[in-house]
Amino acid sequence: MKLQFAAWPEVEEYLRANAGIIVPIGSTEQHGPTGLMGTDYIIPSAMAEAISERTGICCTPPITFGMAQHHLGFPGTISLRPSTYVSVLVDVIQSLARHGFRRIVFLNGHGGNIAPVLTAMNEFYAGISFHREGGHRDVLCKLISWWTPPKTAAEITEIFGDGDGAHATASEIAVTQFLHSRYIKPVSADLRPARKGAVSDIHNAYDYRDRFIDGRIGSDVRLCTPEGGQRVFDVATDEIAEECMAFFSS
Amino acid sequence: MKLQFAAWPEVEEYLRANAGIIVPIGSTEQHGPTGLMGTDYIIPSAMAEAISERTGICCTPPITFGMAQHHLGFPGTISLRPSTYVSVLVDVIQSLARHGFRRIVFLNGHGGNIAPVLTAMNEFYAGISFHREGGHRDVLCKLISWWTPPKTAAEITEIFGDGDGAHATASEIAVTQFLHSRYIKPVSADLRPARKGAVSDIHNAYDYRDRFIDGRIGSDVRLCTPEGGQRVFDVATDEIAEECMAFFSS
Amino acid sequence: MKLQFAAWPEVEEYLRANAGIIVPIGSTEQHGPTGLMGTDYIIPSAMAEAISERTGICCTPPITFGMAQHHLGFPGTISLRPSTYVSVLVDVIQSLARHGFRRIVFLNGHGGNIAPVLTAMNEFYAGISFHREGGHRDVLCKLISWWTPPKTAAEITEIFGDGDGAHATASEIAVTQFLHSRYIKPVSADLRPARKGAVSDIHNAYDYRDRFIDGRIGSDVRLCTPEGGQRVFDVATDEIAEECMAFFSS
Amino acid sequence: MKLQFAAWPEVEEYLRANAGIIVPIGSTEQHGPTGLMGTDYIIPSAMAEAISERTGICCTPPITFGMAQHHLGFPGTISLRPSTYVSVLVDVIQSLARHGFRRIVFLNGHGGNIAPVLTAMNEFYAGISFHREGGHRDVLCKLISWWTPPKTAAEITEIFGDGDGAHATASEIAVTQFLHSRYIKPVSADLRPARKGAVSDIHNAYDYRDRFIDGRIGSDVRLCTPEGGQRVFDVATDEIAEECMAFFSS
Amino acid sequence: MKLQFAAWPEVEEYLRANAGIIVPIGSTEQHGPTGLMGTDYIIPSAMAEAISERTGICCTPPITFGMAQHHLGFPGTISLRPSTYVSVLVDVIQSLARHGFRRIVFLNGHGGNIAPVLTAMNEFYAGISFHREGGHRDVLCKLISWWTPPKTAAEITEIFGDGDGAHATASEIAVTQFLHSRYIKPVSADLRPARKGAVSDIHNAYDYRDRFIDGRIGSDVRLCTPEGGQRVFDVATDEIAEECMAFFSS
Amino acid sequence: MKLQFAAWPEVEEYLRANAGIIVPIGSTEQHGPTGLMGTDYIIPSAMAEAISERTGICCTPPITFGMAQHHLGFPGTISLRPSTYVSVLVDVIQSLARHGFRRIVFLNGHGGNIAPVLTAMNEFYAGISFHREGGHRDVLCKLISWWTPPKTAAEITEIFGDGDGAHATASEIAVTQFLHSRYIKPVSADLRPARKGAVSDIHNAYDYRDRFIDGRIGSDVRLCTPEGGQRVFDVATDEIAEECMAFFSS
């Protein structure tokens, strides 16, 4: 069930037999000279819908903006402050917990979201932990960044190898090519693999743009094809569906 | 240009000649026994995309969650606290202002958002007004709730009359029927027009559910048809496009 | 009962038979070249006291500062950030709710307060709505901006017509002339009606001062007389008293 | 100049020659079985107006609510959370600083405000201190609790001695009797001096009401007379005027 | 029991018979040309440990940073914003209250902390006072600034007289000389007593450095000796231990 | 240089030639039936001091409390809410940045701090990234959790193998045995290795205590010896010193 297309009695019905839900999260931010600004929410949203269609698991609409302050040096990037993002996620958890959801998966498409999502979960949990009387003790949250489950990670390595990179990765751009072929951007012949870097090289937006001049980190977008994207999408969708089912029944 | 499908150099290019942008906002909340939970963001998002395709105006992905605390009595509703929502909108404005956008339209699909959106604009403006040196003095924001421009309001009245209601309105449900016919829910024969009410009758979620037992306020959903929805959509899209163009050139 | 002149046992006594209270709110901000900075709280405060004397309804002292960021371009204006103002109002509601007040009217003298007051009410309600156990479910709030009830609005139109304007209105200045004749400022012969404008023309303080050079919007203060002010005051006081009584008994 | 009765060009004129202003602050809270709820803002407000009339110093309207959480056990008390109150005061300082005020006196009528007012000043100063570039370095704030200057304190001791107490003091009630004789409450014959206590005995509202059963701390309200109140008012007004003048010219 | 060196079953055991705890708080900030940056937390931490060893009272590790915005003009000073510091202290109180601690002493080494600590206590209490149901009504907090109990203050005056000063005092530097003789800094022959000043002379960091050019206020550090420090330390430790015992059994 | 034992002119001198600093962070929280509550700040603090003594690098006093909400089920644990902790770290960074520090290492002893520390860095960076004018663009932060550098991790595995566990690890307890042999707690003969678990098994404090009944996750504390602790301490100190030097010269 896709929450946005349900009416509330259908949700009520769902909750009689289920307590799990998937919330797709991501970002609207630069993805290099050829990647889509919406890459990071488009992918987990599409994955959540695919999982929902196959398994009946309820998924919400995506949270389209995330924590992307380091990409603000490139036009079009929209970022929430980390503290704002934490508040958003806490409110979403509390809304869902109120209705009886007890297992909440954040299906994430953006590395920069990982720390604030974990922080938000702990902010929610802290409200419970500080008070002896605390409600919602059985509400458990889980973060899944779609490219990290082992089979998915292996598939990405097999297809894109070292050229996948760390931002505006070949794999994520390929998945968007599969999902939205209408918006495939041509890769100019002289677009070389981007300079490599680690998460610890990411600081503010000025520093970022100085280090990574076209926005990508380490990715070789010449490797992207819709077919490669589809392979990754299929493996990830299967694997994440299984992870969700296991978590929901824990 | 739909921001989510653009790459950053396209945004950079757009900003050389333009300074306006549309941000669709709404809510994921109960819309009565037959309305879609996503109604309030689905409509402005579709309108923004239609306007964008016709005029070239840049629009962002929708903010799918809004201020819907009064609907939390119905399963599936997701709400941000008003203070969280204000922070989100301020961050979005600041992200856009940083890139050079100077006219920002929030195209809104949910009445409960109106006060916090205006509050957020003032929170952003206050940051400028308090400081003599202030940047971004030329960044102006505008809220358009899609059902309020005069021609659109007249069209709604002509088609749905008094049966339109105040929440889960016949017109908005009809528009979603036009946009997503796959998800049209059957209306049971005994579903009567809902009890009427005013905005001042809306308080907390418990009180709301006591007053408006199936979630609707005053709407007669037996009036909904995809054709009626299309008529409203077309008039609104034309009128809002004009309002945006006028604002962007002010 | 005026709360500031009561002792606590009198409030305890009042609460045995009553659950309603009026909180006058407004602003301390520029009102053009001849209007009083305190106009916006002076009027609702005087109205609340008049209503209190006639009906016995309890009223609090006024909150003298409000959301006036757009007027900060004129010396003397004091503004709270919208987020601060929301916090203030939530705390006031929670103080009153704790004592057993169940119907709270904010009697408002300033247009800029409307959005943050509604936002504050929702912030208070959200605390209830998010938690199943929630207390204070029967505490309901209502905003009345004194110039908006229908008879009052009609009286204003009858007396001041189109010259009333939208800020530093002829009617509000006339009411202060009635209430504080000692502080009537002379109107210079060459003071013309101010340029017109709409709420949507109000942005930050710099932009505001550029558009509305002496602070007024559309008002012709040559029309102000204490007699006109008294007529408005009397009609408004009657009408608002009735609205409060109806709300308190709802 | 009383700010509420001025028009903005008068404030502009004032600022050409002056940079000092008085902001009366206090509370609306229980003052024992016979004291006025508004005592704590009524007194500093009246003092500020008296000083203003005599010296021409500008004073603002009072902030009528303060930090009174410990009095919430008595009906009618309205309290801001300390954190809210800090935000209010910071916004007021920033509003005044923006206009060119450079010496701001908070004339205080409530002991519970002292810590949050000092905290607010430091919050404002911290904004300056953290940033090398910082504006408003020459904006200095001062807190004067009206009963603390030495001559005033001596006068209180002379008139009321040990019976003055620590809350709902004989002196403050006497001052309100002088200012508002209409609202003098009769003291029942059997009203004994209240139990004594220190500031360190003040904790939450439940504990407070357990310790101090009618709200007073150590005060003998049988000593109150309007004449005694006038003597205190006059001494305090003189002394505080001098302190302000000295501070403004520092 | 020093909390940092205990295992949790020992704390559980302690709480069976005790409900009191000492939390040492201070600052890391400039203390003039010869004083240690850590003076303000080193002293209360050492005192708390000495009291703990003698009486068995539980003490926590020190909070090493405090509210020191006014010292940021001198390199090395670390300050929390007052609002941050308030949040920290509230969280510490709530952590301790959750475990069953009912009497919490903040043993303080820094004057600038006094207002925010009192504000934090009230923020915690306000959470209780606002809600009828409120938990933790029996959790009481107390602030002891180590130099203020009467015998300690007298000892300081006897040893250092007028040369003690108001910041980077002779007495506190002497105590650190006693505690950490390895870090005694030589006093240059031409280091004169510092200019005097009052708490009301402290504003922002720029103003502070202009007024007090080497950071000290009124202190004559030529008077410091480890022996003098030991005398102060011993008197203070005895007196504070007694104050704590009295408070814990209240 | 240990900041707490320096005087400000020494810091000024240090900053002429250096721009790097180490801030030890950790937690005061349960570490199983035999581990010290202070383990998580004691270790990075001792490491920072050892590195400082060897290299001259400046280190601050430790931040003794961290994000430990999940351990609040065990008496003695003190936790900041994640949002509070983020504010603390941002203020510390801003204090250091103001003085001219340009490379800040947070040397961390607690897994639960990782997400909020990264969030705090991004909150600080966001302040820069949002504003075109932004100061402090060259201030870069780095998080080092002491047990993660490769040689250190290998040493831990070599000594403790699988018995190291995930909380109250054998290695960290061994290091505290080396540092504070006075506080080594006896291990009862029947204390078995604790149940294993992953970070994703950590939720609120109630759930945690249900899963991990004596507080430990997967650790076999029978393996702890001061000698093993010293080996880990020495390897870690060397490796972290090198990492810091490399970062400071980047």
Side-chain angles (χ1 to χ4, degrees):
Chain A
M1 183 171 59
K2 296 170 206 165
L3 188 67
Q4 61 269 46
F5 295 120
W8 71 260
E10 296 170 280
V11 185
E12 194 171 62
E13 180 66 23
Y14 177 88
L15 280 162
R16 288 210 188 89
N18 303 274
I21 193 165
I22 301 176
V23 182
I25 60 174
S27 183
T28 297
E29 65 180 43
Q30 69 87 8
H31 272 75
T34 68
L36 307 187
M37 303 287 301
T39 299
D40 286 355
Y41 82 84
I42 288 170
I43 296 174
S45 186
M47 287 178 173
E49 297 203 350
I51 292 168
S52 177
E53 286 180 3
R54 198 179 320 158
T55 64
I57 290 173
C58 185
C59 69
T60 72
I63 305 180
T64 53
F65 302 145
M67 204 301 291
Q69 62 82 19
H70 44 304
H71 295 304
L72 281 167
F74 296 90
T77 298
I78 292 173
S79 179
L80 305 183
R81 280 166 293 160
S83 52
T84 300
Y85 194 41
V86 166
S87 294
V88 167
L89 296 166
V90 169
D91 290 0
V92 171
I93 297 171
Q94 287 193 318
S95 296
L96 296 172
R98 186 198 196 282
H99 299 312
F101 290 102
R102 286 296 172 263
R103 294 291 180 277
I104 302 168
V105 167
F106 290 100
L107 183 53
N108 177 40
H110 172 49
N113 287 349
I114 293 173
V117 171
L118 296 175
T119 300
M121 289 178 186
N122 277 290
E123 189 80 9
F124 169 70
Y125 292 144
I128 299 163
S129 300
F130 266 116
H131 297 97
R132 282 191 184 282
E133 75 281 3
H136 296 327
R137 291 182 195 180
D138 55 343
V139 175
L140 308 187
C141 303
K142 185 180 179 72
L143 171 66
I144 303 178
S145 294
W146 67 259
W147 63 93
T148 60
K151 289 179 204 161
T152 307
E155 186 77 7
I156 291 170
T157 300
E158 187 182 312
I159 303 175
F160 303 101
D162 194 45
D164 193 49
H167 180 68
T169 62
S171 54
E172 65 184 344
I173 290 177
V175 175
T176 63
Q177 289 180 338
F178 160 60
L179 293 169
H180 293 282
S181 58
R182 176 180 168 194
Y183 294 107
I184 297 176
K185 320 273 176 189
V187 175
S188 75
D190 58 347
L191 188 64
R192 313 296 298 267
R195 177 181 163 187
K196 299 190 179 187
V199 167
S200 60
D201 293 323
I202 296 177
H203 303 283
N204 66 57
Y206 297 96
D207 182 86
Y208 185 101
R209 189 154 184 173
D210 286 346
R211 290 177 196 251
F212 307 107
I213 56 173
D214 75 0
R216 295 173 299 152
I217 304 180
S219 76
D220 184 353
V221 294
R222 295 171 304 188
L223 306 173
C224 303
T225 63
E227 295 72 28
Q230 181 166 14
R231 283 176 55 192
V232 170
F233 185 85
D234 289 345
V235 171
T237 305
D238 284 350
E239 194 175 18
I240 292 163
E242 275 173 42
E243 283 203 13
C244 290
M245 303 298 267
F247 178 57
F248 291 173
S249 62
S250 72
Chain B
M1 182 172 58
K2 298 169 205 166
L3 190 67
Q4 62 267 47
F5 295 120
W8 72 260
E10 295 169 281
V11 184
E12 192 171 65
E13 181 66 24
Y14 177 87
L15 281 163
R16 287 209 189 90
N18 303 275
I21 193 165
I22 301 176
V23 181
I25 60 174
S27 184
T28 297
E29 65 181 40
Q30 70 87 8
H31 272 75
T34 66
L36 308 186
M37 304 286 301
T39 299
D40 286 354
Y41 82 85
I42 288 170
I43 295 175
S45 188
M47 287 179 174
E49 297 202 353
I51 292 169
S52 178
E53 287 181 2
R54 197 179 320 157
T55 64
I57 289 174
C58 185
C59 68
T60 73
I63 303 179
T64 54
F65 303 146
M67 203 300 291
Q69 64 81 19
H70 43 306
H71 295 303
L72 281 167
F74 296 90
T77 297
I78 292 173
S79 179
L80 306 182
R81 279 167 294 162
S83 52
T84 300
Y85 194 42
V86 166
S87 294
V88 167
L89 296 166
V90 169
D91 290 0
V92 171
I93 297 171
Q94 287 192 318
S95 296
L96 296 173
R98 187 199 197 280
H99 298 312
F101 290 101
R102 286 295 170 266
R103 293 292 180 277
I104 301 168
V105 168
F106 290 100
L107 183 52
N108 178 41
H110 172 48
N113 287 350
I114 293 173
V117 170
L118 295 175
T119 301
M121 289 178 184
N122 277 291
E123 189 81 10
F124 169 71
Y125 292 144
I128 298 163
S129 299
F130 267 117
H131 297 98
R132 282 192 183 282
E133 75 280 3
H136 296 325
R137 291 184 196 176
D138 54 343
V139 175
L140 308 186
C141 303
K142 185 180 179 73
L143 171 65
I144 302 178
S145 294
W146 67 259
W147 63 92
T148 59
K151 288 180 205 160
T152 306
E155 186 78 7
I156 290 170
T157 299
E158 187 182 312
I159 303 175
F160 302 100
D162 195 44
D164 193 48
H167 181 67
T169 61
S171 54
E172 64 184 345
I173 291 178
V175 175
T176 62
Q177 289 180 338
F178 160 61
L179 293 169
H180 295 280
S181 56
R182 175 180 168 193
Y183 294 107
I184 297 177
K185 320 271 177 192
V187 174
S188 76
D190 58 346
L191 188 66
R192 312 297 299 268
R195 176 178 163 191
K196 299 190 180 188
V199 167
S200 60
D201 293 323
I202 298 177
H203 302 283
N204 66 58
Y206 296 96
D207 182 86
Y208 185 100
R209 189 153 183 174
D210 286 346
R211 291 177 195 251
F212 307 107
I213 57 173
D214 75 0
R216 293 174 301 153
I217 305 180
S219 75
D220 184 354
V221 294
R222 297 171 302 187
L223 306 174
C224 302
T225 62
E227 295 71 29
Q230 179 167 14
R231 282 176 55 193
V232 171
F233 185 86
D234 289 346
V235 171
T237 306
D238 283 351
E239 195 176 16
I240 293 164
E242 274 173 43
E243 282 203 14
C244 290
M245 303 299 266
F247 178 57
F248 292 174
S249 63
S250 72
Chain C
M1 183 172 56
K2 298 170 205 163
L3 189 67
Q4 61 268 46
F5 294 120
W8 72 260
E10 297 169 281
V11 185
E12 194 171 60
E13 180 67 23
Y14 176 88
L15 280 163
R16 287 209 188 90
N18 303 274
I21 193 165
I22 301 175
V23 182
I25 61 174
S27 182
T28 296
E29 66 181 40
Q30 69 87 9
H31 273 75
T34 67
L36 307 188
M37 304 287 301
T39 299
D40 285 355
Y41 81 84
I42 287 170
I43 294 174
S45 186
M47 287 178 173
E49 297 202 350
I51 292 168
S52 177
E53 286 182 1
R54 198 178 321 157
T55 64
I57 290 173
C58 184
C59 69
T60 72
I63 304 180
T64 53
F65 302 145
M67 204 300 291
Q69 64 81 19
H70 43 304
H71 295 303
L72 281 167
F74 296 90
T77 297
I78 292 173
S79 179
L80 305 183
R81 279 167 294 161
S83 52
T84 300
Y85 193 42
V86 166
S87 295
V88 167
L89 296 167
V90 168
D91 290 0
V92 171
I93 296 171
Q94 288 192 316
S95 296
L96 296 173
R98 187 197 197 283
H99 299 311
F101 290 101
R102 287 296 171 264
R103 294 293 180 274
I104 302 169
V105 167
F106 290 100
L107 183 52
N108 178 40
H110 172 49
N113 287 349
I114 293 173
V117 170
L118 296 175
T119 300
M121 289 178 185
N122 277 291
E123 190 80 10
F124 169 72
Y125 293 143
I128 299 163
S129 300
F130 267 116
H131 297 97
R132 282 192 185 283
E133 73 282 2
H136 296 326
R137 292 183 194 177
D138 55 343
V139 175
L140 308 186
C141 303
K142 185 180 178 72
L143 171 65
I144 302 178
S145 294
W146 68 258
W147 63 93
T148 60
K151 288 180 204 160
T152 307
E155 186 78 8
I156 290 170
T157 300
E158 186 181 315
I159 303 176
F160 302 100
D162 195 45
D164 193 49
H167 181 67
T169 61
S171 54
E172 65 185 344
I173 291 178
V175 176
T176 61
Q177 288 180 339
F178 160 61
L179 293 169
H180 294 282
S181 58
R182 175 179 168 196
Y183 294 107
I184 297 176
K185 320 272 176 188
V187 175
S188 76
D190 58 348
L191 188 65
R192 312 298 298 267
R195 178 179 161 190
K196 300 190 179 186
V199 167
S200 60
D201 293 323
I202 297 177
H203 303 283
N204 66 58
Y206 297 97
D207 182 85
Y208 185 100
R209 189 153 183 175
D210 285 346
R211 289 177 197 251
F212 307 107
I213 57 174
D214 75 0
R216 295 174 299 152
I217 304 180
S219 76
D220 183 354
V221 294
R222 295 171 304 188
L223 305 174
C224 303
T225 62
E227 294 72 27
Q230 180 166 14
R231 282 176 54 192
V232 170
F233 185 86
D234 289 346
V235 172
T237 306
D238 284 350
E239 194 176 17
I240 292 164
E242 275 172 43
E243 283 202 13
C244 290
M245 302 299 267
F247 179 58
F248 291 173
S249 63
S250 73
Chain D
M1 183 172 57
K2 298 169 204 166
L3 189 67
Q4 62 267 48
F5 296 121
W8 72 259
E10 296 169 279
V11 184
E12 192 171 65
E13 180 67 23
Y14 176 87
L15 280 162
R16 286 208 190 91
N18 303 276
I21 192 164
I22 300 175
V23 182
I25 61 174
S27 184
T28 296
E29 64 180 42
Q30 69 88 8
H31 273 75
T34 66
L36 308 187
M37 303 287 301
T39 300
D40 286 354
Y41 82 84
I42 288 170
I43 296 175
S45 187
M47 287 178 173
E49 297 202 353
I51 291 168
S52 177
E53 285 180 2
R54 198 179 319 157
T55 65
I57 288 174
C58 184
C59 68
T60 73
I63 303 179
T64 53
F65 302 145
M67 204 300 290
Q69 64 80 19
H70 44 304
H71 295 303
L72 281 167
F74 296 91
T77 297
I78 293 173
S79 179
L80 305 182
R81 278 167 293 161
S83 52
T84 300
Y85 194 41
V86 166
S87 294
V88 167
L89 296 167
V90 168
D91 290 359
V92 171
I93 297 171
Q94 287 192 318
S95 295
L96 296 173
R98 187 198 197 280
H99 299 311
F101 290 101
R102 286 297 171 263
R103 294 291 180 276
I104 301 169
V105 168
F106 290 99
L107 183 53
N108 178 41
H110 172 48
N113 287 349
I114 293 173
V117 171
L118 295 175
T119 300
M121 289 178 185
N122 276 290
E123 189 80 10
F124 169 71
Y125 292 145
I128 299 164
S129 299
F130 266 116
H131 296 98
R132 281 190 185 284
E133 74 281 2
H136 296 325
R137 292 183 194 176
D138 55 342
V139 175
L140 308 186
C141 303
K142 185 179 179 75
L143 172 65
I144 303 178
S145 294
W146 67 259
W147 63 93
T148 59
K151 287 180 203 159
T152 306
E155 186 77 8
I156 291 170
T157 300
E158 188 181 311
I159 302 176
F160 302 101
D162 195 43
D164 193 48
H167 180 67
T169 61
S171 53
E172 64 184 345
I173 290 177
V175 175
T176 62
Q177 289 181 337
F178 160 61
L179 293 170
H180 294 282
S181 56
R182 176 180 168 194
Y183 294 107
I184 297 176
K185 320 270 177 191
V187 174
S188 76
D190 59 347
L191 188 66
R192 312 297 298 267
R195 178 178 163 190
K196 299 190 180 187
V199 167
S200 60
D201 293 322
I202 298 177
H203 303 283
N204 65 58
Y206 298 96
D207 183 86
Y208 185 99
R209 187 151 184 175
D210 285 346
R211 291 178 195 251
F212 307 108
I213 56 172
D214 75 0
R216 295 174 299 152
I217 304 180
S219 76
D220 184 354
V221 293
R222 297 171 303 187
L223 305 174
C224 302
T225 63
E227 296 70 28
Q230 180 166 13
R231 281 176 56 192
V232 170
F233 185 85
D234 289 346
V235 171
T237 306
D238 284 350
E239 194 176 17
I240 293 163
E242 274 173 43
E243 281 202 17
C244 290
M245 303 299 266
F247 178 58
F248 291 172
S249 63
S250 73
Chain E
M1 183 171 58
K2 298 170 204 165
L3 188 68
Q4 62 267 46
F5 295 120
W8 71 260
E10 296 170 282
V11 184
E12 194 171 62
E13 179 67 24
Y14 176 87
L15 280 162
R16 288 210 188 88
N18 302 275
I21 193 164
I22 301 175
V23 182
I25 60 174
S27 183
T28 297
E29 64 179 44
Q30 69 87 10
H31 273 75
T34 66
L36 307 187
M37 302 287 301
T39 299
D40 286 354
Y41 82 85
I42 288 170
I43 295 174
S45 186
M47 287 178 174
E49 298 202 351
I51 291 169
S52 176
E53 286 180 1
R54 198 179 318 157
T55 65
I57 290 174
C58 184
C59 69
T60 72
I63 304 180
T64 53
F65 303 145
M67 204 300 291
Q69 63 81 19
H70 43 304
H71 295 304
L72 281 167
F74 295 91
T77 297
I78 292 173
S79 179
L80 306 183
R81 279 166 293 160
S83 53
T84 300
Y85 194 41
V86 166
S87 294
V88 167
L89 295 166
V90 168
D91 290 0
V92 171
I93 297 171
Q94 287 192 318
S95 295
L96 296 172
R98 187 198 195 284
H99 299 312
F101 290 102
R102 287 296 171 263
R103 294 291 181 275
I104 302 169
V105 168
F106 290 99
L107 182 52
N108 177 41
H110 172 48
N113 287 349
I114 293 173
V117 170
L118 296 175
T119 301
M121 289 178 186
N122 277 291
E123 189 80 10
F124 169 71
Y125 292 143
I128 299 163
S129 300
F130 266 115
H131 296 96
R132 283 190 184 283
E133 75 281 2
H136 296 327
R137 292 184 195 176
D138 55 341
V139 175
L140 308 186
C141 303
K142 186 181 178 71
L143 172 65
I144 302 178
S145 294
W146 67 259
W147 63 93
T148 59
K151 288 180 204 160
T152 307
E155 186 78 8
I156 290 170
T157 299
E158 186 181 315
I159 302 176
F160 303 101
D162 194 45
D164 193 48
H167 180 68
T169 62
S171 54
E172 65 184 343
I173 291 177
V175 175
T176 62
Q177 288 181 339
F178 159 61
L179 293 169
H180 294 281
S181 57
R182 176 181 167 193
Y183 294 107
I184 297 176
K185 320 272 177 189
V187 175
S188 75
D190 59 347
L191 188 65
R192 311 297 298 268
R195 178 180 160 188
K196 300 189 179 186
V199 167
S200 59
D201 294 324
I202 297 178
H203 303 283
N204 66 58
Y206 297 97
D207 182 87
Y208 185 101
R209 188 152 185 175
D210 285 346
R211 290 177 196 251
F212 307 107
I213 56 173
D214 75 0
R216 295 173 299 152
I217 304 180
S219 77
D220 184 354
V221 294
R222 295 171 304 186
L223 304 174
C224 302
T225 62
E227 294 73 26
Q230 180 167 14
R231 282 176 55 192
V232 170
F233 185 86
D234 289 347
V235 171
T237 306
D238 284 351
E239 194 175 18
I240 293 163
E242 275 173 42
E243 283 203 13
C244 290
M245 303 299 266
F247 178 58
F248 291 173
S249 62
S250 73
Chain F
M1 181 171 60
K2 298 170 205 166
L3 190 66
Q4 62 267 47
F5 295 120
W8 71 260
E10 295 169 280
V11 184
E12 192 171 65
E13 179 68 23
Y14 176 87
L15 280 162
R16 287 208 189 91
N18 303 274
I21 192 164
I22 300 175
V23 182
I25 61 175
S27 184
T28 296
E29 65 180 42
Q30 70 86 10
H31 272 75
T34 66
L36 308 187
M37 304 286 301
T39 300
D40 286 354
Y41 82 84
I42 287 170
I43 295 175
S45 187
M47 287 178 174
E49 297 201 352
I51 292 168
S52 177
E53 285 181 2
R54 198 179 320 157
T55 64
I57 288 173
C58 184
C59 69
T60 73
I63 304 180
T64 54
F65 303 145
M67 204 301 290
Q69 64 80 18
H70 43 306
H71 295 303
L72 280 167
F74 295 91
T77 297
I78 292 172
S79 179
L80 305 182
R81 278 167 294 162
S83 52
T84 300
Y85 194 41
V86 166
S87 294
V88 167
L89 295 167
V90 168
D91 290 359
V92 170
I93 296 171
Q94 287 193 317
S95 295
L96 295 173
R98 186 197 198 281
H99 299 311
F101 290 100
R102 286 297 171 264
R103 293 291 180 276
I104 301 169
V105 168
F106 289 100
L107 183 53
N108 178 41
H110 173 49
N113 287 349
I114 293 174
V117 170
L118 296 175
T119 301
M121 289 178 185
N122 277 291
E123 189 81 10
F124 169 71
Y125 292 144
I128 298 164
S129 299
F130 266 116
H131 296 99
R132 283 192 183 281
E133 74 281 2
H136 297 326
R137 291 183 196 176
D138 54 342
V139 174
L140 308 186
C141 303
K142 186 181 179 72
L143 171 65
I144 303 177
S145 294
W146 68 259
W147 64 92
T148 59
K151 289 180 202 161
T152 306
E155 186 78 8
I156 290 170
T157 300
E158 187 181 313
I159 302 176
F160 303 100
D162 194 45
D164 194 47
H167 181 67
T169 61
S171 54
E172 64 184 344
I173 291 178
V175 175
T176 62
Q177 289 181 337
F178 160 61
L179 293 169
H180 294 282
S181 57
R182 175 180 168 193
Y183 294 107
I184 297 177
K185 320 271 176 191
V187 175
S188 76
D190 58 349
L191 188 64
R192 311 297 298 267
R195 176 179 163 190
K196 298 190 180 187
V199 167
S200 60
D201 294 323
I202 298 178
H203 303 283
N204 66 58
Y206 297 96
D207 182 87
Y208 185 100
R209 189 153 183 175
D210 285 345
R211 290 177 195 252
F212 306 108
I213 55 173
D214 74 0
R216 294 174 300 152
I217 304 180
S219 76
D220 184 354
V221 294
R222 296 171 304 187
L223 305 174
C224 302
T225 62
E227 295 72 28
Q230 179 166 15
R231 281 175 55 193
V232 170
F233 185 86
D234 288 346
V235 171
T237 306
D238 283 352
E239 194 176 17
I240 293 163
E242 274 174 42
E243 282 203 15
C244 290
M245 303 298 267
F247 178 58
F248 291 173
S249 63
S250 73

